Each structure stands twice: as structure tokens, then as C-alpha cells.
């Protein structure tokens, strides 16, 4: 499933570029052919409305809507077993390893 989310991420990057600026080796049609039809339909619904279809997840936060994901979703993403989407905005979630720890919550004095 890891490859599928990476394929969707590449597809999103390519589709957001003007046609002339697309990287030749990463053909949009080829990328779309690698994605199962139901997944592609959801992807297209989101992008048709100008929304992000694939969001990076850092520190348990969706990169599209910036809302915190449920702990279980964030944990499943880290294990990369299945394709998940944000229950808030519907974007497919792409786990991004971030070596820097989350900024500590400011303590209230
Ligand atoms: Zn979201």
C-alpha cells in the first residue's frame, strides 16, 4: 500500500503543475493507470473541487485541513499497512517521518 500512496502523491504533484512543467518520465496517464478505479474516483472528486487529494501527515496532523487525526489513524499510518483518508477533509493520508520532535505545548503559568 506504501507504493499506492506514493503514486497518488506523485500524481497530485504532476496534475498541479502546468502541462509544460511536468517531468517527462512521470506520465500522468501512466500514474493514473496504476491506481485502482475507486481510489482514483475519490482522488478526482477532491481535486475537481480544488482540494488536496493527498495530504502529508506530520505529528499526527493532516497537512490538508490541519486538524489532528485520531491516535489510532496516526498509528496505522506509521505502520503503512493500508490506505487511509482523513475523516475531516477526506484527503488520502501520507505518513511523513519527521526527525524533529513535536514542539512542546506551552505550559500555562
Ligand atoms: Zn484532513
Amino acid at each position: 500500500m506504501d507504493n499506492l500512496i506514493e503514486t497518488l502523491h506523485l500524481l497530485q504533484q504532476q496534475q498541479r503543475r502546468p502541462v509544460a512543467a511536468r517531468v517527462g518520465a512521470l506520465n500522468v496517464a501512466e500514474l493514473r493507470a496504476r491506481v485502482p478505479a475507486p481510489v482514483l474516483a475519490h482522488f478526482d472528486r477532491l481535486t475537481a473541487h480544488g482540494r488536496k487529494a493527498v495530504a502529508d501527515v506530520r505529528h499526527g496532523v493532516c497537512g490538508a485541513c490541519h486538524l489532528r487525526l485520531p491516535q489510532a489513524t496516526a498509528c496505522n499510518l506509521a505502520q503503512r499497512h493500508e490506505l487511509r483518508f482523513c475523516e475531516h477533509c477526506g484527503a488520502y493520508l501520507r505518513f511523513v517521518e519527521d526527525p524533529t520532535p513535536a514542539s512542546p505545548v506551552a505550559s500555562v503559568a
Side-chain angles (χ1 to χ4, degrees), residues 62 64-65 86 88-90:
C62 171
C65 67
C86 175
H88 305 292
C89 69

